[in-house]
Amino acid sequence: MENFVAYNPTKLHFGKGVVNELGDAAESIGKKALVVYGKGSVLKNGSYNDTIRQLKDRGISIVEFNGIKPNPVVTDVDEAASIGKNGKVDMVVAIGGGSVIDSAKIIAICIADNVNGWDVMTGKHTPAGSKPLIAVLTLAATGTEMNPVAVLQNHDTDQKIGFRHEVMFPVHSFLDPKYTQSVPANYTAYGIVDLVAHALEAWFGEGEANLSDRFVIAIIREAIEIGPLLMEDLENYDYRARIMWAATNALNDTTMHGRVSGDWGVHGLGHTLSYLYDTAHGATLSIFFPAWMKRLVEKNPDRITQLGKSLFGVDSPEKTIAGFEDFFKKVGSPVRAAEAGITREQKGEILDLMSKQKVRGIHVDLDEQDREAIVELAL
Amino acid sequence: MENFVAYNPTKLHFGKGVVNELGDAAESIGKKALVVYGKGSVLKNGSYNDTIRQLKDRGISIVEFNGIKPNPVVTDVDEAASIGKNGKVDMVVAIGGGSVIDSAKIIAICIADNVNGWDVMTGKHTPAGSKPLIAVLTLAATGTEMNPVAVLQNHDTDQKIGFRHEVMFPVHSFLDPKYTQSVPANYTAYGIVDLVAHALEAWFGEGEANLSDRFVIAIIREAIEIGPLLMEDLENYDYRARIMWAATNALNDTTMHGRVSGDWGVHGLGHTLSYLYDTAHGATLSIFFPAWMKRLVEKNPDRITQLGKSLFGVDSPEKTIAGFEDFFKKVGSPVRAAEAGITREQKGEILDLMSKQKVRGIHVDLDEQDREAIVELAL
């Protein structure tokens, strides 16, 4: 086991009606909020109205930025931060999924430190502080509600990158599974894939961490048991709740303690498809994870088989990979690029962007040969 | 899944040499510390010297209280708090195991709020604040290093009770497994039993919480795999590290999210033996858990069997209980009171104290008949 620091100060409120506690939380922070959200879904699922009512009932005044994109861009972050700075807000309230909350994390730093978003993302500016962030989660997927990570893209530099800093933990996160009951089948599936991918990226990380490994297995088992049931019964509160909590745990460091790092190679590969074709993040992961594992078979078959034994009761890397492909298909997420409308003609530009974005991994280096082989397997 | 709040702000530093980071942590808090510890073990294992050096190197002045007992008493807490108040300390630094850190949590409140310890423990005084607490853990067992709970006894009222409040999380905890390498076999075993008992108390708690159940299984499996290996090789750093981290996770709420509560009945039963005969806490748990489960067989056999299937591959409650007895014996912790020197003649006073302490449980009520039956089974 490697040395590590376990630290997660987010206060996460989980369950039916928990947004009723948001007013108290906001009031303890300040008097003016920048509310950030995406398009229409938060208006339809009730989360926006519930949140605004909480703020208004406490006399908290509001400025807004809406229109954060599903694959969020740094220009929106800068625009929202400018509204927050002009409004002299005391806090940022994010209502939505990973894209909105990730954006809000950077917005909160930009307001506090009076900097632009890309300087934060690239590490040019080290955050000195952050406006307190309250998150209301409406999509179970990324785990951003209980971690200090954000992923953004920049169309000027053709990059989609992640950034992590301790000031980025939300102070409060509110997770009411009822807001996720109206998420359509495809995005529900992508969320399930995303959480499984996060657990796998920990599993394939660097450093022996046995209890963290056991937690990985626990989380993936939960997804394998509940994911398909949820896909058949999208409005089931209990299934929604179980997937939502599994998604939080897949990326709140529960699976990481004692490791040096996770292997984020597959996320890097996936980001290129999201960047080029706006492919949903979860879909890029179910496309690339099987292909990546096939490439890994030559190098580290045992680690794959160990996973297959625990999850599927199988005894070879090939059967383990087939187990994951079956699972991804069962929830309805693509396992080949073609199913996401990406054809062989696009192979060149995908590889070019991977090269440009300097995608790197640990177990699989993701050098030119690796990338070529993986994209071929994924087509 | 029940509504819950997930919140744990302790920053936990884990691994070889992490106490080297204590000076930074203390310096960011203040200039004067009350250092609290027990008897001689922290002087022998190096933790005391390492901690004092860190404080002195930063010019932090020190007052001390030593002599916290293995089953800690509130009179020591009041005496230590008085030293802290007179010394106008900015923080409390606890070096030791659960008894020292639990005491320090209450001491830190008593100093901040200028109250006495038992008023805090009994809820007569609600904590308004606490001096920041830094913990240096030297015994893997109770999980106190990452939770807001303390257990103390009071010889005036014949009580041993627990108290939980959000202000009681240590601000920083330092866990270097090397300090536990000199813990003797019996206390090593009791620590392993304690962590397994904590996981079981979550398992048998109220409310369905599937992912938390999976985490329970993960933690107990880790203890079952590593516990016996550690008992054969007490100075093995890696085994010490794995048990230490498992113990933290067994009581830092990882296993509790989504439940209404744990079933702490067995802890309550065990406290009576510690109170009457100074029996080590872990020993009381390996004595009472099998007896308690035997009483539970009539009422809820399925929940026991579910555990046995996952942990021992057995299919009946009786075989599951036998599995736990075997495991406790294997690590060298008693499974009958007689092995701890407690005889049938003492049955009356044990039952009297249980009645007086109003021990209660969830799955087993622990009414008079239950207590009589369980004590009989445990003799």
Side-chain angles (χ1 to χ4, degrees), chain B residues 35-354:
Chain B
V35 176
V36 181
Y37 54 103
K39 292 264 171 199
S41 68
V42 302
L43 303 175
K44 287 175 206 146
N45 65 31
S47 59
Y48 176 82
N49 284 340
D50 293 347
T51 304
I52 297 297
R53 193 179 312 119
Q54 283 287 313
L55 296 172
K56 290 199 166 160
D57 282 357
R58 303 306 175 108
I60 292 165
S61 62
I62 293 166
V63 291
E64 284 200 3
F65 179 89
N66 66 54
I68 297 288
K69 295 163 192 69
N71 285 310
V73 293
V74 72
T75 44
D76 284 342
V77 163
D78 288 333
E79 201 180 319
S82 154
I83 294 170
K85 282 178 221 170
N86 293 335
K88 298 195 186 344
V89 300
D90 304 309
M91 72 194 92
V92 178
V93 177
I95 314 170
S99 58
V100 172
I101 298 171
D102 281 15
S103 299
K105 288 175 178 177
I106 305 300
I107 292 166
I109 292 171
C110 292
I111 298 172
D113 289 4
N114 195 23
V115 288
N116 73 62
W118 205 243
D119 284 351
V120 177
M121 291 300 295
T122 54
K124 195 175 154 194
H125 169 78
T126 301
S130 169
K131 290 291 170 185
L133 171 63
I134 294 177
V136 178
L137 186 68
T138 62
L139 184 71
T142 74
T144 188
E145 63 275 12
M146 205 182 193
N147 70 39
V149 179
V151 176
L152 288 180
Q153 56 192 42
N154 182 335
H155 289 288
D156 292 334
T157 63
D158 274 351
Q159 281 175 291
K160 181 175 176 107
I161 57 174
F163 180 68
R164 178 187 176 109
H165 192 283
E166 213 170 80
V167 300
M168 286 160 64
F169 284 104
V171 179
H172 290 272
S173 283
F174 295 89
L175 278 66
D176 187 335
K178 83 175 174 217
Y179 297 139
T180 70
Q181 285 171 308
S182 54
V183 173
N186 56 351
Y187 276 88
T188 302
Y190 303 151
I192 295 167
V193 172
D194 199 18
L195 90 84
V196 170
H198 291 152
L200 287 173
E201 280 156 328
W203 177 269
F204 287 111
E206 205 181 340
E208 256 188 48
N210 305 73
L211 187 58
S212 291
D213 278 357
R214 294 182 200 275
F215 290 159
V216 165
I217 299 293
I219 290 165
I220 301 182
R221 276 201 180 131
E222 180 80 351
I224 287 177
E225 183 184 326
I226 298 306
L229 296 174
L230 172 56
M231 296 311 299
E232 296 296 315
D233 188 6
L234 289 170
E235 295 198 11
N236 184 299
Y237 176 87
D238 193 52
Y239 297 156
R240 287 286 186 187
R242 289 177 63 178
I243 288 295
M244 199 172 201
W245 185 229
T248 301
N249 281 276
L251 206 58
N252 70 353
D253 276 355
T254 294
T255 63
M256 282 303 301
H257 299 124
R259 302 187 205 281
V260 178
S261 70
D263 186 333
W264 298 96
V266 175
H267 258 74
L269 297 170
H271 286 339
T272 60
L273 299 191
S274 297
Y275 186 85
L276 286 169
Y277 315 116
D278 229 22
T279 313
H281 176 58
T284 71
L285 300 172
S286 55
I287 290 168
F288 277 127
F289 237 115
W292 178 88
M293 281 199 267
K294 285 171 193 167
R295 184 72 182 170
L296 180 61
V297 171
E298 288 167 38
K299 302 181 185 184
N300 197 343
D302 293 350
R303 189 73 178 149
I304 303 176
T305 306
Q306 201 185 338
L307 201 56
K309 273 186 191 155
S310 299
L311 293 172
F312 307 116
V314 298
D315 57 3
S316 78
E318 291 76 15
K319 286 179 193 163
T320 304
I321 297 168
F324 278 106
E325 287 194 340
D326 287 349
F327 170 66
F328 293 149
K329 285 182 206 166
K330 207 165 169 185
V331 296
S333 196
V335 296
R336 293 293 179 278
E339 298 167 49
I342 297 162
T343 63
R344 183 168 298 279
E345 284 71 57
Q346 290 156 316
K347 187 173 167 184
E349 69 180 357
I350 295 169
L351 288 171
D352 283 350
L353 186 62
M354 285 178 178

Side-chain angles (χ1 to χ4, degrees), chain A residues 20-84:
Chain A
N20 292 330
E21 299 159 20
L22 189 146
D24 278 352
E27 198 173 31
S28 73
I29 296 173
K31 295 185 181 314
K32 191 160 186 186
L34 169 66
V35 175
V36 181
Y37 54 104
K39 293 262 169 198
S41 69
V42 302
L43 304 175
K44 287 177 207 146
N45 65 31
S47 58
Y48 176 83
N49 284 340
D50 293 349
T51 304
I52 296 297
R53 192 177 314 116
Q54 284 287 313
L55 296 172
K56 289 201 167 158
D57 281 357
R58 303 306 176 108
I60 292 165
S61 63
I62 294 166
V63 291
E64 284 200 3
F65 179 89
N66 67 54
I68 298 288
K69 294 164 192 67
N71 285 311
V73 294
V74 72
T75 44
D76 284 342
V77 163
D78 288 333
E79 200 179 319
S82 153
I83 293 170

Side-chain angles (χ1 to χ4, degrees), chain A residues 1-18 21 146 166 171 208 210-212 214-219 221-223 225-226 237-238 241-243 245-246 249 254 257-258, chain B residues 1-18 21 146 166 171 208 210-212 214-219 221-223 225-226 237-238 241-243 245-246 249 254 257-258:
Chain A
M1 192 152 48
E2 305 292 328
N3 283 16
F4 63 91
V5 173
Y7 178 57
N8 195 319
T10 298
K11 185 175 270 192
L12 184 146
H13 311 248
F14 190 101
K16 276 195 189 98
V18 288
E21 299 159 20
M146 204 181 194
E166 214 170 76
V171 179
E208 256 189 47
N210 304 74
L211 187 58
S212 291
R214 295 182 199 275
F215 290 159
V216 166
I217 299 293
I219 291 164
R221 277 202 179 131
E222 181 79 352
E225 182 184 327
I226 299 306
Y237 176 88
D238 192 52
R242 288 177 64 178
I243 288 296
W245 184 230
N249 281 276
T254 294
H257 300 123
Chain B
M1 193 153 45
E2 304 292 329
N3 283 16
F4 63 91
V5 173
Y7 177 58
N8 196 320
T10 298
K11 185 175 270 192
L12 186 145
H13 311 249
F14 191 100
K16 276 194 191 101
V18 288
E21 300 159 21
M146 205 182 193
E166 213 170 80
V171 179
E208 256 188 48
N210 305 73
L211 187 58
S212 291
R214 294 182 200 275
F215 290 159
V216 165
I217 299 293
I219 290 165
R221 276 201 180 131
E222 180 80 351
E225 183 184 326
I226 298 306
Y237 176 87
D238 193 52
R242 289 177 63 178
I243 288 295
W245 185 229
N249 281 276
T254 294
H257 299 124

Side-chain angles (χ1 to χ4, degrees), chain A residues 246-311:
Chain A
T248 301
N249 281 276
L251 205 58
N252 69 353
D253 275 353
T254 294
T255 63
M256 282 303 301
H257 300 123
R259 303 186 204 282
V260 179
S261 69
D263 186 334
W264 298 96
V266 175
H267 258 74
L269 297 171
H271 286 338
T272 59
L273 299 191
S274 297
Y275 186 85
L276 286 169
Y277 315 116
D278 228 21
T279 312
H281 176 57
T284 71
L285 301 171
S286 55
I287 290 168
F288 277 128
F289 238 115
W292 178 88
M293 281 198 268
K294 284 170 194 168
R295 183 73 181 169
L296 180 62
V297 170
E298 287 167 40
K299 302 182 185 184
N300 196 345
D302 294 349
R303 190 72 179 150
I304 304 176
T305 305
Q306 201 185 340
L307 201 57
K309 273 186 190 156
S310 299
L311 293 173

